[in-house]
């Protein structure tokens, strides 16, 4: 594939990611508030609190920032995954193996490695916007406050905490993005191959196959890496607007949470997360695969 072809795949990946994120933004807002300790005890209660304090549009607060981050992030992710996969397959195989419907059948390790490298690349490029999105979505604020705007949030972080605040929590984020994206892409390819080899389903002709494969992949990756995501969110939120810094490092956060609340603390917010993640991942993979098959 040419450089133009990969650029087109990046655009398609960005579109797919943006549509998916917007569709499930309310669940994302509720999930982040639960993880950062600003929720109302349950997903339903947190949603009601947002509606009471911020109105209906509050459910989408931070979504513009999310989309501004997601478009390049998902674009880089999908485009780089395809590129890394092609490079590694060419280095390992003289002839790429295929499944029963004639499509490339990559081994689990290769799909995992390509997805992990793509996830790391996307993370490094878009991380400051992820931190800003967490600050904007992680608590209730008054309508019109500076915390509701991307540029204001980023500039306030620099003024109050220095440029390093933009990359606070990047350690666990990188450690999480590698296995998370690796698992997601590897499971997706595996589920596609299972459908092709055992049921004769050609994913190029079945949008439902892509949606189902994406849903399974997102659930598997999300459950596996959710504790790391909780630690990442808490590190991103600490120090905001002069609040006390509770954890000296990611490891300190892990130890403190486990000592004070046990394993269950790492999975706070897992309900709305899965409700968001499964359709989000399904839409991403489904739309990306559909557009790629039709346009490229």
């Amino acid at each position: 594939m040419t450089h133009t072809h990969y650029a087109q795949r990046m655009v398609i990946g960005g579109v797919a990611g943006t549509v998916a994120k917007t569709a499930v933004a309310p669940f994302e807002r509720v999930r982040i508030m639960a993880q950062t300790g600003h929720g109302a005890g349950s997903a339903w209660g947190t949603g009601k609190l947002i509606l009471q304090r911020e109105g209906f549009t509050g459910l989408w607060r931070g979504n513009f920032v999310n989309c501004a981050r997601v478009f390049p992030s998902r674009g880089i992710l999908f485009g780089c995954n395809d590129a890394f996969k092609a490079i590694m397959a060419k280095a390992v195989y003289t002839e790429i193996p295929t499944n029963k419907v004639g499509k490339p059948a990559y081994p689990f390790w290769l799909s995992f490695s390509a997805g992990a490298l793509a996830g790391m690349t996307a993370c490094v490029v878009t991380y400051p916007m992820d931190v800003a999105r967490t600050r904007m979505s992680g608590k209730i604020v008054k309508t019109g406050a500076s915390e509701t705007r991307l540029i204001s949030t980023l500039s306030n972080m620099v003024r109050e905490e220095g440029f390093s605040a933009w990359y606070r929590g990047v350690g666990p984020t990188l450690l999480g993005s590698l296995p998370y994206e690796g698992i997601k892409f590897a499971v997706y390819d595996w589920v596609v191959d299972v459908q092709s080899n055992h049921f004769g389903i050609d994913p190029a002709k079945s949008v439902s196959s892509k949606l189902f494969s994406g849903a399974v992949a997102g659930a598997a990756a999300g459950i596996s890496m959710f504790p790391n995501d909780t630690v990442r969110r808490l590190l991103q939120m600490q120090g905001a607007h002069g609040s006390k810094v509770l954890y000296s490092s990611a490891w300190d956060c892990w130890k403190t949470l486990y000592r004070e609340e046990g394993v269950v603390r790492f999975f706070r917010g897992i309900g709305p997360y899965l409700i968001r993640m499964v359709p989000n991942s399904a839409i991403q993979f489904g739309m990306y695969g559909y557009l790629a098959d039709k346009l490229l």
Side-chain angles (χ1 to χ4, degrees), residues 31 222-223 226 267-275:
R31 189 265 299 189
I223 293 172
F226 193 80
F267 290 92
R268 183 181 296 171
I270 188 70
Y273 174 79
L274 288 177
I275 293 173

Side-chain angles (χ1 to χ4, degrees), residues 88-172:
M88 287 189 282
K90 186 177 181 179
V92 174
Y93 299 107
T94 54
E95 184 177 348
I96 299 176
T98 59
N99 55 33
K100 289 187 176 180
V101 296
K103 302 297 182 182
Y106 300 103
F108 194 91
W109 71 266
L110 193 150
S111 294
F112 179 92
S113 300
L117 289 172
M120 180 181 68
T121 304
C123 172
V124 171
V125 173
T126 63
Y127 190 77
M129 284 187 285
D130 188 39
V131 178
R133 191 259 305 206
T134 298
R135 293 288 182 94
M136 293 169 69
S137 302
K139 63 180 182 178
I140 296 290
V141 299
K142 295 180 180 179
T143 301
S146 62
E147 294 89 341
T148 65
R149 298 186 293 272
L150 172 60
I151 300 302
S152 296
T153 300
L154 289 172
S155 61
N156 286 341
M157 289 168 63
V158 173
R159 184 173 61 255
E160 297 174 6
E161 306 165 58
F163 279 105
S164 62
W166 283 6
Y167 281 90
R168 181 168 291 156
V170 71

